[in-house]
Amino acid sequence: MKRFLGIESSCDETAAAVLTVTTEQQKEVFNVASNVIYSQTKEHILYGGVVPEIASRAHMEKISSIITKALLDAGTSLEEIDGIAVSSGPGLMGGLTVGLMHAKSLAQALNKPFIGVNHLEGHALTAHLTENVSFPYLLLLVSGGHCQFIYVESLGKYETLGGTIDDAVGECFDKVAKMLGFPYPGGPFIERSAKEGDDKAYDFPLPLQHKGLDFSFSGLKSAVRREIEKELHAVGEEELSSTSILKLESATIANISASFQRAVGEILAIKCERALQTCGAKDLVLAGGVAANTLLRSRLEALCSKKGVLFHAPPLNLCTDNAVMIAYAGALRLLEGEASFLNLSAVPRWPLDDLKTPNHI
Ligand code: KG4
Ligand code: ZN
Protein backbone atom coordinates (compact mmCIF):
# COMPACT_ATOMS: atom_id res chain seq x y z
CA MET A 1 0.00 0.00 0.00
CA LYS A 2 1.16 3.54 -0.76
CA ARG A 3 0.06 6.61 1.15
CA PHE A 4 -0.04 10.18 -0.12
CA LEU A 5 -0.47 13.33 1.94
CA GLY A 6 -2.32 16.22 0.31
CA ILE A 7 -2.20 19.84 1.52
CA GLU A 8 -4.52 22.67 0.44
CA SER A 9 -4.34 26.34 1.47
CA SER A 10 -4.97 28.35 -1.69
CA CYS A 11 -7.97 30.34 -0.43
CA ASP A 12 -9.85 30.22 2.87
CA GLU A 13 -9.77 26.51 3.69
CA THR A 14 -6.80 24.92 5.46
CA ALA A 15 -6.98 21.25 4.57
CA ALA A 16 -4.97 18.05 4.71
CA ALA A 17 -5.84 14.51 3.63
CA VAL A 18 -4.33 11.07 3.28
CA LEU A 19 -5.11 8.95 0.23
CA THR A 20 -4.07 5.29 0.03
CA VAL A 21 -3.41 3.35 -3.15
CA THR A 22 -3.46 -0.43 -3.45
CA THR A 23 -3.18 -2.57 -6.55
CA GLU A 24 -6.03 -5.00 -7.14
CA GLN A 25 -6.14 -7.12 -10.29
CA GLN A 26 -3.49 -4.88 -11.84
CA LYS A 27 -5.64 -1.81 -11.22
CA GLU A 28 -4.83 1.00 -8.82
CA VAL A 29 -7.53 1.43 -6.19
CA PHE A 30 -7.65 4.74 -4.32
CA ASN A 31 -9.17 5.15 -0.91
CA VAL A 32 -9.72 8.32 1.13
CA ALA A 33 -8.11 7.52 4.50
CA SER A 34 -8.70 10.97 5.99
CA ASN A 35 -10.06 14.37 4.98
CA VAL A 36 -9.61 17.28 7.39
CA ILE A 37 -10.81 20.78 6.53
CA TYR A 38 -10.70 23.94 8.59
CA SER A 39 -12.90 26.59 7.02
CA GLN A 40 -12.03 30.20 7.88
CA THR A 41 -15.60 31.50 7.57
CA LYS A 42 -15.60 33.02 11.05
CA GLU A 43 -12.31 34.88 10.40
CA HIS A 44 -13.79 36.60 7.32
CA ILE A 45 -17.44 36.97 8.31
CA LEU A 46 -17.09 40.59 9.45
CA TYR A 47 -15.59 41.65 6.14
CA GLY A 48 -18.15 40.03 3.83
CA GLY A 49 -15.41 38.25 1.86
CA VAL A 50 -11.97 36.66 2.08
CA VAL A 51 -9.23 39.03 3.35
CA PRO A 52 -5.88 37.69 2.03
CA GLU A 53 -3.79 38.85 5.03
CA ILE A 54 -6.17 37.30 7.54
CA ALA A 55 -6.32 34.12 5.45
CA SER A 56 -2.51 33.71 5.44
CA ARG A 57 -2.32 34.16 9.20
CA ALA A 58 -5.11 31.65 9.84
CA HIS A 59 -3.44 29.10 7.52
CA MET A 60 -0.19 29.56 9.43
CA GLU A 61 -1.92 29.01 12.78
CA LYS A 62 -3.82 25.91 11.70
CA ILE A 63 -1.79 24.02 9.15
CA SER A 64 0.42 21.91 11.45
CA SER A 65 -2.49 20.68 13.56
CA ILE A 66 -4.60 19.97 10.47
CA ILE A 67 -1.80 17.83 8.98
CA THR A 68 -1.34 16.00 12.30
CA LYS A 69 -5.08 15.31 12.47
CA ALA A 70 -5.13 14.01 8.89
CA LEU A 71 -2.32 11.57 9.73
CA LEU A 72 -4.01 10.47 13.00
CA ASP A 73 -7.41 9.99 11.33
CA ALA A 74 -5.74 7.86 8.68
CA GLY A 75 -3.97 5.81 11.38
CA THR A 76 -0.59 6.58 9.88
CA SER A 77 2.51 8.66 10.51
CA LEU A 78 4.75 10.95 8.46
CA GLU A 79 7.36 8.19 8.13
CA GLU A 80 4.83 5.96 6.35
CA ILE A 81 3.89 8.60 3.76
CA ASP A 82 5.19 7.86 0.26
CA GLY A 83 4.73 11.30 -1.26
CA ILE A 84 3.44 14.79 -0.54
CA ALA A 85 1.19 16.85 -2.84
CA VAL A 86 0.39 20.51 -2.28
CA SER A 87 -1.65 23.17 -4.10
CA SER A 88 0.96 25.47 -5.60
CA GLY A 89 -1.49 27.68 -7.56
CA PRO A 90 -3.66 29.36 -8.59
CA GLY A 91 -4.87 31.18 -5.48
CA LEU A 92 -3.84 33.72 -2.87
CA MET A 93 -0.05 34.08 -2.73
CA GLY A 94 0.19 34.12 1.08
CA GLY A 95 -1.93 31.01 1.63
CA LEU A 96 -0.24 29.09 -1.18
CA THR A 97 3.16 29.92 0.28
CA VAL A 98 2.18 28.64 3.74
CA GLY A 99 1.14 25.27 2.28
CA LEU A 100 4.13 25.05 0.01
CA MET A 101 6.65 25.83 2.79
CA HIS A 102 5.12 23.11 4.96
CA ALA A 103 5.12 20.55 2.17
CA LYS A 104 8.70 21.34 1.22
CA SER A 105 10.02 21.16 4.79
CA LEU A 106 8.29 17.80 5.34
CA ALA A 107 9.60 16.47 2.02
CA GLN A 108 13.12 17.58 2.81
CA ALA A 109 13.16 16.39 6.42
CA LEU A 110 11.68 12.99 5.53
CA ASN A 111 13.41 12.64 2.18
CA LYS A 112 10.11 11.98 0.37
CA PRO A 113 9.09 13.09 -3.13
CA PHE A 114 6.81 16.07 -3.34
CA ILE A 115 4.79 17.70 -6.08
CA GLY A 116 3.10 21.07 -6.61
CA VAL A 117 -0.42 20.53 -7.94
CA ASN A 118 -2.59 22.93 -9.89
CA HIS A 119 -5.60 23.47 -7.60
CA LEU A 120 -7.95 23.47 -10.62
CA GLU A 121 -6.60 20.10 -11.70
CA GLY A 122 -7.66 18.83 -8.27
CA HIS A 123 -11.23 20.04 -8.91
CA ALA A 124 -11.11 18.68 -12.47
CA LEU A 125 -10.16 15.15 -11.38
CA THR A 126 -12.40 14.78 -8.31
CA ALA A 127 -15.31 13.19 -10.20
CA HIS A 128 -12.87 10.66 -11.65
CA LEU A 129 -12.06 9.59 -8.08
CA THR A 130 -15.45 9.87 -6.39
CA GLU A 131 -17.97 9.08 -9.14
CA ASN A 132 -15.76 6.94 -11.37
CA VAL A 133 -16.72 9.18 -14.29
CA SER A 134 -14.57 8.19 -17.23
CA PHE A 135 -12.75 10.65 -19.51
CA PRO A 136 -13.69 12.80 -21.31
CA TYR A 137 -16.22 14.90 -19.42
CA LEU A 138 -17.27 18.51 -19.01
CA LEU A 139 -16.77 20.18 -15.63
CA LEU A 140 -18.67 23.28 -14.54
CA LEU A 141 -16.82 24.65 -11.54
CA VAL A 142 -18.86 27.22 -9.62
CA SER A 143 -17.63 28.58 -6.29
CA GLY A 144 -16.68 31.80 -4.53
CA GLY A 145 -13.42 31.95 -6.47
CA HIS A 146 -14.11 30.02 -9.67
CA CYS A 147 -16.64 30.01 -12.46
CA GLN A 148 -15.48 28.08 -15.46
CA PHE A 149 -16.05 25.27 -17.93
CA ILE A 150 -13.22 22.78 -18.13
CA TYR A 151 -13.19 20.02 -20.74
CA VAL A 152 -11.37 17.15 -19.01
CA GLU A 153 -10.00 15.02 -21.82
CA SER A 154 -7.63 12.82 -19.81
CA LEU A 155 -5.03 13.14 -17.05
CA GLY A 156 -3.02 16.27 -17.83
CA LYS A 157 -5.18 17.30 -20.82
CA TYR A 158 -7.61 20.05 -19.99
CA GLU A 159 -9.18 22.82 -21.99
CA THR A 160 -10.83 25.84 -20.42
CA LEU A 161 -13.85 26.44 -22.64
CA GLY A 162 -15.04 29.58 -20.90
CA GLY A 163 -14.98 31.45 -17.62
CA THR A 164 -16.18 34.57 -15.92
CA ILE A 165 -14.92 37.89 -17.17
CA ASP A 166 -15.66 39.55 -13.81
CA ASP A 167 -17.14 38.00 -10.65
CA ALA A 168 -17.35 34.29 -9.88
CA VAL A 169 -20.91 33.07 -9.44
CA GLY A 170 -20.50 32.40 -5.68
CA GLU A 171 -18.99 35.87 -5.30
CA CYS A 172 -22.09 37.28 -7.00
CA PHE A 173 -24.35 35.33 -4.59
CA ASP A 174 -22.29 36.70 -1.69
CA LYS A 175 -22.43 40.32 -2.91
CA VAL A 176 -26.18 40.21 -3.57
CA ALA A 177 -26.66 38.55 -0.16
CA LYS A 178 -24.66 41.33 1.49
CA MET A 179 -26.89 43.98 -0.16
CA LEU A 180 -29.94 42.11 1.15
CA GLY A 181 -28.52 42.14 4.68
CA PHE A 182 -27.51 38.45 4.89
CA PRO A 183 -24.24 37.33 6.52
CA TYR A 184 -21.24 35.92 4.64
CA PRO A 185 -21.16 33.54 2.85
CA GLY A 186 -24.58 34.48 1.57
CA GLY A 187 -25.38 31.77 -1.01
CA PRO A 188 -27.27 29.49 1.42
CA PHE A 189 -29.24 32.48 2.82
CA ILE A 190 -30.36 33.50 -0.67
CA GLU A 191 -31.43 29.93 -1.38
CA ARG A 192 -33.44 29.78 1.86
CA SER A 193 -35.08 33.17 1.32
CA ALA A 194 -35.84 32.34 -2.35
CA LYS A 195 -38.02 29.42 -1.23
CA GLU A 196 -40.55 31.93 0.12
CA GLY A 197 -40.44 34.22 -2.90
CA ASP A 198 -41.88 34.62 -6.40
CA ASP A 199 -39.10 34.01 -8.93
CA LYS A 200 -40.95 36.01 -11.60
CA ALA A 201 -41.36 39.13 -9.48
CA TYR A 202 -38.33 40.78 -11.15
CA ASP A 203 -36.97 40.26 -14.62
CA PHE A 204 -33.23 40.41 -14.18
CA PRO A 205 -30.88 40.45 -17.20
CA LEU A 206 -29.00 37.35 -18.35
CA PRO A 207 -25.58 38.79 -19.25
CA LEU A 208 -23.81 37.30 -22.31
CA GLN A 209 -26.68 34.84 -22.84
CA HIS A 210 -26.49 34.95 -26.64
CA LYS A 211 -22.74 34.75 -26.93
CA GLY A 212 -20.05 32.16 -26.24
CA LEU A 213 -19.13 30.28 -23.08
CA ASP A 214 -17.89 33.13 -20.91
CA PHE A 215 -19.91 34.41 -17.98
CA SER A 216 -20.41 37.90 -16.61
CA PHE A 217 -22.13 38.50 -13.28
CA SER A 218 -21.33 42.10 -12.47
CA GLY A 219 -24.21 43.42 -14.66
CA LEU A 220 -26.66 41.10 -12.93
CA LYS A 221 -25.39 42.26 -9.54
CA SER A 222 -25.85 45.92 -10.54
CA ALA A 223 -29.36 45.21 -11.84
CA VAL A 224 -30.25 43.65 -8.47
CA ARG A 225 -28.84 46.69 -6.71
CA ARG A 226 -30.98 49.03 -8.85
CA GLU A 227 -34.16 47.08 -8.00
CA ILE A 228 -33.29 47.10 -4.28
CA GLU A 229 -32.74 50.87 -4.48
CA LYS A 230 -36.12 51.33 -6.19
CA GLU A 231 -37.82 49.35 -3.43
CA LEU A 232 -35.99 51.41 -0.80
CA HIS A 233 -37.09 54.68 -2.41
CA ALA A 234 -40.67 53.38 -2.32
CA VAL A 235 -40.43 53.07 1.47
CA GLY A 236 -38.81 56.49 1.85
CA GLU A 237 -35.16 55.43 2.19
CA GLU A 238 -32.53 57.42 0.28
CA GLU A 239 -29.85 54.80 -0.17
CA LEU A 240 -28.93 51.16 0.33
CA SER A 241 -27.18 50.42 3.64
CA SER A 242 -27.08 47.68 6.24
CA THR A 243 -29.74 49.57 8.23
CA SER A 244 -31.99 50.84 5.43
CA ILE A 245 -32.36 47.31 4.01
CA LEU A 246 -34.15 46.33 7.23
CA LYS A 247 -37.06 48.56 6.12
CA LEU A 248 -37.95 46.20 3.27
CA GLU A 249 -40.55 43.54 3.92
CA SER A 250 -39.28 39.98 4.03
CA ALA A 251 -41.60 39.16 1.10
CA THR A 252 -39.77 41.76 -1.04
CA ILE A 253 -36.38 40.31 -0.02
CA ALA A 254 -37.66 36.82 -0.83
CA ASN A 255 -38.91 37.94 -4.27
CA ILE A 256 -35.55 39.53 -5.08
CA SER A 257 -33.70 36.39 -3.90
CA ALA A 258 -35.92 34.09 -5.93
CA SER A 259 -35.73 36.20 -9.09
CA PHE A 260 -31.95 36.54 -8.78
CA GLN A 261 -31.53 32.80 -8.24
CA ARG A 262 -33.75 32.06 -11.26
CA ALA A 263 -31.59 34.37 -13.42
CA VAL A 264 -28.42 32.55 -12.29
CA GLY A 265 -30.07 29.17 -12.98
CA GLU A 266 -31.10 30.30 -16.46
CA ILE A 267 -27.70 31.63 -17.38
CA LEU A 268 -25.93 28.49 -16.13
CA ALA A 269 -28.36 26.27 -18.05
CA ILE A 270 -28.01 28.29 -21.29
CA LYS A 271 -24.22 28.20 -21.07
CA CYS A 272 -24.14 24.50 -20.14
CA GLU A 273 -26.29 23.59 -23.12
CA ARG A 274 -23.95 25.52 -25.41
CA ALA A 275 -20.82 24.03 -23.78
CA LEU A 276 -22.17 20.48 -24.15
CA GLN A 277 -22.92 21.16 -27.81
CA THR A 278 -19.43 22.57 -28.33
CA CYS A 279 -17.44 19.74 -26.76
CA GLY A 280 -19.82 16.81 -27.30
CA ALA A 281 -19.24 15.45 -23.77
CA LYS A 282 -21.68 12.80 -22.57
CA ASP A 283 -21.07 13.55 -18.87
CA LEU A 284 -21.45 16.83 -17.01
CA VAL A 285 -19.85 17.26 -13.58
CA LEU A 286 -20.95 20.13 -11.35
CA ALA A 287 -18.50 21.14 -8.60
CA GLY A 288 -17.72 24.03 -6.23
CA GLY A 289 -19.62 25.48 -3.28
CA VAL A 290 -22.48 26.80 -5.43
CA ALA A 291 -23.23 23.18 -6.42
CA ALA A 292 -24.91 22.96 -3.00
CA ASN A 293 -27.81 24.98 -4.41
CA THR A 294 -30.71 22.59 -5.02
CA LEU A 295 -32.47 24.78 -7.57
CA LEU A 296 -29.34 25.17 -9.69
CA ARG A 297 -28.62 21.46 -9.45
CA SER A 298 -32.10 20.43 -10.53
CA ARG A 299 -32.06 22.99 -13.37
CA LEU A 300 -28.86 21.41 -14.74
CA GLU A 301 -30.05 17.87 -14.04
CA ALA A 302 -33.19 18.58 -16.10
CA LEU A 303 -31.08 19.99 -18.94
CA CYS A 304 -28.86 16.88 -18.90
CA SER A 305 -31.74 14.45 -18.98
CA LYS A 306 -33.24 16.39 -21.94
CA LYS A 307 -29.91 16.17 -23.77
CA GLY A 308 -29.14 12.52 -22.93
CA VAL A 309 -26.12 13.57 -20.87
CA LEU A 310 -25.28 12.03 -17.48
CA PHE A 311 -25.22 14.51 -14.61
CA HIS A 312 -22.77 14.06 -11.72
CA ALA A 313 -22.09 16.06 -8.58
CA PRO A 314 -19.36 14.82 -6.22
CA PRO A 315 -20.25 14.87 -2.48
CA LEU A 316 -20.20 18.47 -1.31
CA ASN A 317 -17.19 18.12 1.02
CA LEU A 318 -15.14 16.93 -1.96
CA CYS A 319 -16.43 19.41 -4.52
CA THR A 320 -15.62 22.46 -2.37
CA ASP A 321 -11.95 23.15 -1.54
CA ASN A 322 -10.32 20.11 0.08
CA ALA A 323 -7.00 18.30 0.18
CA VAL A 324 -8.26 14.90 -1.06
CA MET A 325 -8.42 16.29 -4.59
CA ILE A 326 -4.86 17.62 -4.26
CA ALA A 327 -3.61 14.26 -2.90
CA TYR A 328 -5.34 12.50 -5.81
CA ALA A 329 -4.00 14.74 -8.60
CA GLY A 330 -0.56 14.61 -6.96
CA ALA A 331 -0.62 10.83 -6.42
CA LEU A 332 -1.49 10.17 -10.07
CA ARG A 333 1.54 12.19 -11.10
CA LEU A 334 3.91 10.91 -8.40
CA LEU A 335 2.98 7.33 -9.34
CA GLU A 336 4.07 8.17 -12.90
CA GLY A 337 7.46 9.25 -11.55
CA GLU A 338 6.78 12.98 -11.83
CA ALA A 339 7.92 15.29 -8.98
CA SER A 340 8.74 18.94 -8.31
CA PHE A 341 12.05 20.49 -7.25
CA LEU A 342 12.36 21.91 -3.76
CA ASN A 343 12.83 25.42 -5.16
CA LEU A 344 9.26 25.41 -6.50
CA SER A 345 7.37 28.64 -5.84
CA ALA A 346 3.68 29.45 -5.65
CA VAL A 347 1.91 30.67 -8.81
CA PRO A 348 -1.11 32.90 -8.07
CA ARG A 349 -2.30 32.79 -11.70
CA TRP A 350 -2.00 29.45 -13.42
CA PRO A 351 -4.58 28.46 -16.05
CA LEU A 352 -5.21 24.74 -16.27
CA ASP A 353 -4.50 24.63 -20.00
CA ASP A 354 -0.95 25.54 -19.19
CA LEU A 355 0.06 22.59 -17.03
CA LYS A 356 3.56 22.03 -18.28
CA THR A 357 4.76 25.43 -17.12
CA PRO A 358 6.22 26.57 -14.89
CA ASN A 359 6.00 23.96 -12.16
CA HIS A 360 6.40 20.49 -13.50
CA ILE A 361 9.66 18.81 -14.34
O1 KG4 B 1 -16.16 26.14 -3.02
P1 KG4 B 1 -16.49 27.02 -1.86
O2 KG4 B 1 -16.89 26.38 -0.56
O3 KG4 B 1 -15.31 27.97 -1.48
C1 KG4 B 1 -14.58 28.83 -2.25
O4 KG4 B 1 -15.10 29.47 -3.17
O5 KG4 B 1 -13.41 28.91 -1.89
O6 KG4 B 1 -17.65 27.98 -2.35
C2 KG4 B 1 -18.18 28.96 -1.51
C3 KG4 B 1 -19.21 29.73 -2.31
C4 KG4 B 1 -19.70 30.96 -1.57
O7 KG4 B 1 -19.68 32.03 -2.48
C5 KG4 B 1 -21.10 30.57 -1.14
O8 KG4 B 1 -21.98 31.66 -1.02
C6 KG4 B 1 -21.51 29.66 -2.26
O9 KG4 B 1 -20.36 28.90 -2.54
N1 KG4 B 1 -22.62 28.78 -1.84
C7 KG4 B 1 -23.85 28.83 -2.39
C8 KG4 B 1 -24.64 27.89 -1.67
N2 KG4 B 1 -23.85 27.31 -0.73
C9 KG4 B 1 -22.60 27.88 -0.85
N3 KG4 B 1 -24.34 29.57 -3.38
C10 KG4 B 1 -25.63 29.38 -3.70
N4 KG4 B 1 -26.46 28.53 -3.06
C11 KG4 B 1 -26.00 27.77 -2.04
N5 KG4 B 1 -26.82 26.93 -1.41
ZN1 ZN C 1 -11.25 25.74 -5.45
Side-chain angles (χ1 to χ4, degrees), residues 10 119-120 123 141 143 146 320-321 325:
S10 65
H119 173 91
L120 297 169
H123 280 302
L141 180 57
S143 71
H146 321 288
T320 56
D321 286 353
M325 66 181 194

Side-chain angles (χ1 to χ4, degrees), residues 64-104:
S64 292
S65 59
I66 296 292
I67 293 174
T68 306
K69 182 157 177 16
L71 293 164
L72 278 174
D73 287 1
T76 189
S77 64
L78 278 174
E79 290 69 28
E80 285 184 328
I81 293 292
D82 295 283
I84 300 167
V86 60
S87 274
S88 55
L92 299 172
M93 192 62 181
L96 288 168
T97 306
V98 171
L100 204 53
M101 296 311 287
H102 265 77
K104 284 195 217 177

Side-chain angles (χ1 to χ4, degrees), residues 14 38 43 57-67:
T14 319
Y38 174 76
E43 279 84 347
R57 198 170 303 188
H59 285 305
M60 222 134 72
E61 274 168 20
K62 293 282 176 198
I63 198 155
S64 292
S65 59
I66 296 292
I67 293 174

Side-chain angles (χ1 to χ4, degrees), residues 11-13 143-145 170-171 173-174 185-188 191 288-290 292-293 319-321:
C11 188
D12 60 342
E13 264 89 29
S143 71
E171 192 180 355
F173 264 97
D174 295 338
E191 179 171 18
V290 180
N293 187 294
C319 81
T320 56
D321 286 353

